[in-house]
């Protein structure tokens, strides 16, 4: 079992930045790839970014490419999502998730955090 806890969400103006953190605990010895997903009000949850277990490979949705950066510190069991140039359409609950292989398909993820709210005002 892997427990994931997100933090770092909040209210920010358009054009601003936030850094989300995801702390993993439990069976973190397995080589989990990590992903960030988001769910806006009235919409389905969607893929935002993912990173391989080694950190050497990263993947982004087109909507966040060149603005968001996913990274990890495996020694600390932490995953981060640096979000720059935020837009009102980035407003959503952001979730981190763990999987044994990198996927953009959320159905392939085994463990999920409770989410953190990001609100971008115009």
């Amino acid at each position: 079992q892997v427990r994931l806890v997100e933090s770092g969400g909040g209210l920010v103006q358009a054009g601003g930045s936030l850094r989300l953190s995801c702390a993993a605990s439990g069976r973190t010895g397995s080589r989990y790839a990590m992903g960030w997903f988001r769910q806006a009000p009235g919409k389905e949850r969607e893929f935002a970014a993912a990173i391989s277990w080694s950190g050497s490979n990263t993947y982004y949705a087109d909507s966040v490419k060149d603005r968001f950066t996913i990274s990890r510190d495996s020694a600390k069991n932490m995953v981060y999502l640096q979000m720059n140039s935020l837009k009102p359409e980035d407003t959503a609950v952001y979730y981190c998730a763990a999987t044994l292989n990198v996927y953009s398909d959320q159905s392939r993820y085994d463990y999920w955090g409770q989410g953190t709210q990001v609100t971008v005002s115009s």
Side-chain angles (χ1 to χ4, degrees):
Q1 190 78 5
V2 175
R3 182 168 180 256
L4 303 173
V5 179
E6 302 95 335
S7 61
L11 173 64
V12 64
Q13 288 188 330
S17 298
L18 279 176
R19 189 176 84 151
L20 304 182
S21 299
C22 176
S25 61
R27 294 184 62 183
T28 56
S30 297
R31 298 186 176 189
Y32 288 103
M34 300 296 293
W36 284 96
F37 293 79
R38 63 185 186 180
Q39 186 168 20
K43 296 187 177 181
E44 294 189 352
R45 189 162 57 187
E46 65 177 11
F47 170 76
I51 188 167
S52 61
W53 171 81
S54 66
S56 59
N57 295 298
T58 57
Y59 307 87
Y60 297 94
D62 288 343
S63 58
V64 307
K65 198 174 296 181
D66 300 326
R67 298 188 299 122
F68 290 10
T69 302
I70 188 172
S71 62
R72 69 189 301 164
D73 183 337
S74 294
K76 296 181 179 179
N77 293 322
M78 296 292 296
V79 179
Y80 305 99
L81 187 66
Q82 178 67 43
M83 306 185 295
N84 299 328
S85 302
L86 283 162
K87 306 174 182 179
E89 50 264 44
D90 294 317
T91 294
V93 177
Y94 283 72
Y95 300 89
C96 72
T99 179
L100 288 176
N101 291 289
V102 176
Y103 299 109
S104 60
D105 180 355
Q106 59 184 295
S107 70
R108 307 300 294 268
Y109 282 75
D110 303 301
Y111 302 101
W112 292 82
Q114 83 290 346
T116 186
Q117 176 70 48
V118 172
T119 303
V120 184
S121 63
S122 57

